[in-house]
């Protein structure tokens, strides 16, 4: 009986794991403290059972062709990925860019040193029509050929099912918190698996808890979520970030402690190790 119960609990746990997506379109702050990202870094450390997907965007993408990121990005990016389920994605806005321009940005990210190179690529401004699928398939194939093993797509709505075949995560909703309905905006089928879907809920209330919608997303099997009080066109870390991350963590079996909004980080100038201690007593170490 005990073995059966443990088996059942493991099934519930694996089914209900909800990741957290964070469009980290702000600078990391000082290269010695990473203060601009401290709340996110602390939440990643405090919620060890929760997958995190952090999108970095140094300069409307990686910057000029062949360029390297600033010292702050070089030293702070590793703090976003202290374990294998904490993924860092490099942002590329496909928009009206030509195939060669998109590939040049992929090349730039690929040219970064392995100590701070993103795990994968996040393609923004993605179309959803079947007629435009081939160009995104080309983008994804090119990125994987450059060594990026994780592809995120952001059509902001449910795209043609073909897009799911080339991506690890597809953002199927990017609009207001008030308008979101998990049964209407998330579609789970063999061709549009919910295990590859994420949602970004914007303009969320700054008071109260998001626990009800987080529970609905987890039960539905959604891969990842981002809930923010900011508008779609605003950059920054949500005011309720810490409590949001803790609520998701509790669903995933984390302790549920509220991580401190401040983290005392020390970054080793050698770039071979990064360490610090949060106010929660969690030690952060990336080698």
């Amino acid at each position: 009986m005990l073995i059966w119960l443990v088996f059942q609990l493991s099934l519930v746990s694996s089914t209900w794991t909800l990741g957290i997506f964070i469009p980290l379109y702000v600078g990391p702050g000082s290269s010695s403290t990473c203060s601009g990202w401290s709340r996110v870094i602390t939440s990643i450390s405090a919620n060890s059972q929760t997958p995190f997907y952090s999108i970095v965007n140094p300069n409307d993408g990686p910057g000029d062709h062949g360029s390297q990121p600033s010292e702050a990005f070089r030293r702070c990016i590793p703090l976003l990925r202290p374990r294998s389920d904490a993924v860092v994605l490099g942002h590329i806005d496909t928009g009206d860019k030509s195939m060669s321009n998109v590939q040049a940005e992929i090349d730039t990210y690929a040219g970064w040193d392995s100590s701070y190179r993103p795990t994968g690529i996040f393609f923004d401004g993605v179309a959803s029509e079947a007629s435009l699928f081939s160009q995104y398939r080309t983008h994804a194939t090119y990125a994987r050929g450059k060594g990026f093993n994780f592809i995120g797509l952001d059509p902001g709505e449910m795209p043609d099912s073909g897009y799911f075949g080339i991506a690890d995560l597809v953002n199927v909703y990017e609009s207001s918190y008030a308008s979101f309905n998990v049964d209407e905006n998330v579609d789970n089928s063999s061709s549009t698996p919910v295990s590859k879907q994420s949602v970004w809920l914007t303009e969320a209330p700054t008071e109260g808890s998001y626990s009800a919608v987080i529970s609905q997303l987890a039960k539905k099997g959604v891969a990842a979520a981002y809930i923010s009080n900011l508008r779609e066109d605003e950059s920054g870390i949500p005011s309720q970030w810490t409590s949001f991350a803790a609520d998701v963590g509790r669903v995933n079996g984390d302790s549920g402690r509220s991580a401190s909004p401040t983290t005392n980080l020390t970054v080793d100038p050698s770039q071979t190790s990064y360490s610090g201690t949060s106010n929660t007593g969690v030690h952060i170490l990336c080698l």
Side-chain angles (χ1 to χ4, degrees):
M1 177 65 73
L2 179 59
I3 294 175
W4 178 87
L5 179 59
V6 171
F7 175 71
Q8 290 298 313
L9 289 174
S10 68
L11 287 180
V12 171
S13 175
S14 63
T15 301
W16 281 28
T17 300
L18 177 66
I20 293 178
F21 228 146
I22 171 69
L24 203 52
Y25 302 161
V26 293
S30 166
S31 62
S32 61
T33 65
C34 306
S35 57
W37 293 352
S38 63
R39 287 197 294 149
V40 174
I41 292 167
T42 302
S43 292
I44 293 172
S45 181
N47 296 284
S48 61
Q49 305 301 312
T50 300
F52 280 82
Y53 307 91
S54 303
I55 308 169
V56 296
N57 189 17
N59 188 13
D60 191 23
D64 294 336
H65 180 50
S67 65
Q68 294 289 312
S70 68
E71 182 182 22
F73 277 93
R74 295 197 303 269
R75 294 186 175 180
C76 298
I77 283 176
L79 292 173
L80 298 171
R81 53 181 190 202
R83 55 183 190 273
S84 61
D85 66 347
V87 176
V88 175
L89 303 173
H91 179 274
I92 295 179
D93 186 355
T94 58
D96 296 326
K97 291 178 182 175
S98 67
M99 185 75 68
S100 61
N101 285 339
V102 171
Q103 292 183 356
E105 294 196 12
I106 294 171
D107 289 342
T108 298
Y109 280 122
W112 291 5
D113 186 81
S114 60
S115 62
Y116 51 83
R117 183 187 305 132
T119 311
I121 299 295
F122 179 78
F123 294 110
D124 201 357
V126 174
S128 59
E129 301 93 332
S131 60
L132 297 175
F133 165 71
S134 62
Q135 72 183 64
Y136 292 99
R137 179 177 56 197
T138 300
H139 293 334
T141 300
Y142 189 83
R144 292 191 191 277
K146 291 294 181 175
F148 295 107
N149 59 20
F150 195 102
I151 301 298
L153 303 177
D154 185 18
E157 61 183 5
M158 187 64 65
D160 178 78
S161 60
Y163 289 82
F164 287 86
I166 63 171
D168 298 279
L169 209 52
V170 180
N171 200 40
V172 301
Y173 182 88
E174 186 174 354
S175 192
S176 74
Y177 178 93
S179 300
F180 179 73
N181 183 298
V182 68
D183 293 324
E184 294 178 2
N185 298 117
V186 176
D187 177 32
N188 186 24
S189 71
S190 59
S191 59
T192 59
V194 71
S195 60
K196 285 189 174 185
Q197 294 177 35
S198 67
V199 297
W200 291 5
L201 314 184
T202 59
E203 300 179 78
T206 55
E207 297 182 359
S209 172
Y210 305 138
S211 58
V213 69
I214 288 169
S215 179
Q216 291 175 355
L217 291 169
K219 290 179 180 179
K220 188 81 172 182
V222 172
Y226 169 65
I227 301 179
S228 173
N229 61 292
L230 303 173
R231 300 189 309 269
E232 289 181 55
D233 60 351
E234 288 183 296
S235 298
I237 298 173
S239 61
Q240 276 198 323
W241 166 263
T242 301
S243 59
F244 161 62
D247 282 347
V248 175
R250 277 189 287 270
V251 167
N252 295 332
D254 284 312
S255 65
R257 290 178 299 174
S258 294
S260 169
T262 59
T263 305
N264 181 22
L265 299 171
T266 302
V267 183
D268 186 341
S270 70
Q271 299 182 24
T272 58
S273 66
Y274 304 78
S275 64
T277 305
S278 75
N279 290 359
T280 62
V282 178
H283 186 68
I284 303 171
L285 177 62
C286 305
L287 299 178

